[in-house]
Structures are given as structure tokens and as C-alpha cells.
Amino acid sequence: MTDPRIIDGKAFAAGVRARVGRQVAALKEKHGITPGLTVLLVGEDPASQVYVRNKGRATHEAGMRGEEIRLPATASHGEVLARVKALNRDPAVHGILVQLPLPKQVDASAIINEIEPAKDVDGFHVINAGLLATGQDGLVSCTPLGCLFLLKDRLGDLAGLNAVVVGRSNIVGKPMAQLLIKESCTVTVAHSRTRDLPAVCRRADILVAAIGKPEMIKGDWVKPGATVIDVGINRVERDGKTRLVGDVDFAGALARAAAITPVPGGVGPMTIACLLVNTVTAACRQHGVPVPQE
Ligand code: GUN
């Protein structure tokens, strides 16, 4: 028997991906639309290659058109920019994802902000960040969107809950905080300079850890009955083996939490599932059709 307090992100993501597959089938049948995602990978970073391969596989499994463009690590800023501009113009491409990190000679934020906002399925463009911050419909960064799906599945209405987001990155911490504000949570964003972080975390009904420091959040920082979402994926050497651990001391937190995501198998699988969700959303908006509902 698996512990019911452990949130099975892999199973939840499989359900989301299956729903996306049905939506794609409906879009093809009713409107002749095949949602298409293009991933641009520059260089040979091993972790990026794994992510890109997994994204491509998930896209095809959902019945979408998936394309991968690879450029050498020596590609210039201008070359990457020219590819993005061509993808912006291509009507068969509904979603564009530029895999990060980019090589040093390429200005990542300039490239991201060149992506057509309606095709920015990562939700990283300043327009999409601004739409989220002002409570308007744009495209939302995949990892925080996945965290929100898991939280709503567990807790239902989040209104009035104290949420603490540890980490203030543009990709996770800030959009996570914006999403939780939209759900009427009382949100605190904590970070490396926060005073008495354990005390701040102990106030959280919802604790989201996105700091990138292995097992930094200890069990006794968790309020009894809290829901803990661990976004961290850290490689550590332990007993001569490489292991993946989160930003939360899982065993310690499990002793107090009502629910917690494991690493791996928690938030990670939700990120790709939400990329597929965003691609369907983007395709529907570009064609002016509603997202198929079940
Ligand atoms: N590199 C690691 N994670 C991500 C992601 O979610 N999006 C992009 N574009 N690059 C990444």
C-alpha cells in the first residue's frame, strides 16, 4: 500500500496527458487542427537533451505535431534569433520552447522575449509574466501550473490559506506566488535572505519549496497538517550512489504533513504534462476555437 499522504504526481500527470490526448483528437476531428510544438535546443547539454527527448515523446503520445530543432553550441545570437522569428511566422507551430540554458554568446532573455507571446508555451515572455501578474489570461509557466493542479486536487478551494513559497525565480517562485494570489491565498515569498525562515515556513498551510538546495527545508519547519510541494530536483552523492532529492527533507516532513510530493515522481512529471496543456491552449487561441471540454 502506498502512503495516501504521498502525492503521486506521475499518476496525476498521466491523467492530464490522457485528457490532452482526447482534446487533441477532438480538435483534429472537429476543426482539422493538429496542435504543434517546436523545441529549439542549442548545444549538447546532457540534461537538456534528456528533457527535450522526453518533451518530444510526450508530444507525440498526445497526438500532437512535435518538432525538434538542434543548433550547435557555437550558434550565434543572430542565428538563434532568426530561427525563433521563422517559428513565429509558421502557422503550423502553435508552441515554441527554447530550451534553457543557452550558450554564453546567446542572450537568453532577449531570445525569450522575441518569441510570439501567444506561442510562448513556457510562459517566460515578459508579456505572459505581466498578464499573470495582473490576473489576465496568458500562458503560465509549466512547473507552477503543475503545482497548482496538484494543490487544487488535494485541497479544493485554496481561498484564505497561508501559502509560503520559498524561492523567487522568474520560472517558479514568482509565477507560483501570482497563481496562489489569484486563488485568494495569503502569500509570502521567502528566499535566501529571509529572516528566521523556519518560523516563516511553520506558518504555511501550503509550503512550496523551489530553492534548489538539497533537503534544506527540515521536517520541523513544516506546520502539522500542511501540504508540501517540493519543486527541487537535486543530484547528491550518497553511499557511493547518485540520488535525486528535493529541497525538503522528505522523511522529516512526511511525519508532519497532511500531503507531500516526492522527488522523483511528484512535481517533475507535471511540468511536461502542463507543457502539453499550454500547447493545446495556445493552438485553440490561435485558431479562435474553445478548448475542448469533457
Ligand atoms: N530547462 C530546464 N527546465 C526548463 C523549462 O521548463 N523550460 C525551458 N525552456 N528550459 C528549461
Side-chain angles (χ1 to χ4, degrees):
M1 260 292 277
T2 50
D3 187 325
R5 291 169 302 166
I6 300 176
I7 298 173
D8 188 345
K10 208 170 154 189
F12 195 88
V16 173
R17 285 166 61 164
R19 189 180 72 226
V20 169
R22 293 192 294 276
Q23 291 172 325
V24 170
L27 283 171
K28 284 182 187 171
E29 196 187 307
K30 282 198 206 133
H31 303 286
I33 299 166
T34 303
L37 171 68
T38 298
V39 176
L40 185 56
L41 174 62
V42 187
E44 266 116 52
D45 179 69
S48 289
Q49 292 192 25
V50 174
Y51 287 138
V52 168
R53 202 177 319 128
N54 290 342
K55 286 169 189 169
R57 192 180 304 142
T59 316
H60 292 132
E61 278 173 16
M64 297 184 191
R65 220 181 44 75
E67 184 194 20
E68 192 182 308
I69 297 176
R70 287 180 175 239
L71 294 179
T74 52
S76 69
H77 180 81
E79 283 168 312
V80 179
L81 196 63
R83 289 294 184 138
V84 168
K85 286 184 171 176
L87 294 171
N88 283 343
R89 289 191 297 267
D90 185 343
V93 174
H94 302 107
I96 303 169
L97 185 147
V98 178
Q99 184 67 26
L100 302 176
L102 287 167
K104 282 191 295 292
Q105 73 277 12
V106 182
D107 178 346
S109 81
I111 295 292
I112 297 299
N113 286 322
E114 198 61 44
I115 298 172
E116 168 60 41
K119 296 189 176 187
D120 169 39
V121 284
D122 255 332
F124 293 171
H125 193 290
V126 287
I127 292 276
N128 281 316
L131 289 170
L132 177 63
T134 51
Q136 300 177 75
D137 283 340
L139 289 163
V140 177
S141 181
C142 302
T143 299
L145 188 59
C147 295
L148 184 69
F149 281 160
L150 295 176
L151 284 167
K152 287 176 86 161
D153 179 60
R154 275 285 160 154
L155 297 170
D157 184 11
L158 309 182
L161 295 176
N162 283 329
V164 174
V165 179
V166 190
R168 53 177 157 176
S169 72
N170 291 335
I171 293 176
V172 183
K174 286 178 196 158
M176 186 78 247
Q178 301 288 4
L179 285 171
L180 292 166
I181 289 169
K182 221 170 158 182
E183 295 298 321
S184 301
C185 292
T186 303
V187 180
T188 303
V189 180
H191 46 75
S192 54
R193 305 291 300 271
T194 295
R195 292 191 187 165
D196 200 355
L197 183 59
V200 173
C201 290
R202 277 184 207 113
R203 292 202 295 268
D205 302 307
I206 293 170
L207 182 59
V208 181
I211 345 130
K213 296 230 172 356
E215 297 174 329
M216 190 183 112
I217 295 190
K218 306 301 174 202
D220 67 353
W221 300 14
V222 173
K223 177 178 174 177
T227 300
V228 180
I229 302 290
D230 191 349
V231 180
I233 301 178
N234 309 289
R235 262 167 231 284
V236 294
E237 295 296 323
R238 205 159 287 163
D239 309 325
K241 289 191 193 134
T242 305
R243 287 188 49 212
L244 283 185
V245 299
D247 291 347
V248 178
D249 165 20
F250 181 78
L254 183 61
R256 292 165 67 113
I260 181 168
T261 57
V263 178
V267 172
M270 287 302 290
T271 299
I272 288 188
C274 288
L275 177 64
L276 303 181
V277 169
N278 280 351
T279 305
V280 166
T281 304
C284 290
R285 287 186 188 151
Q286 282 159 50
H287 287 275
V289 303
V291 176
Q293 303 294 321
E294 326 204 301

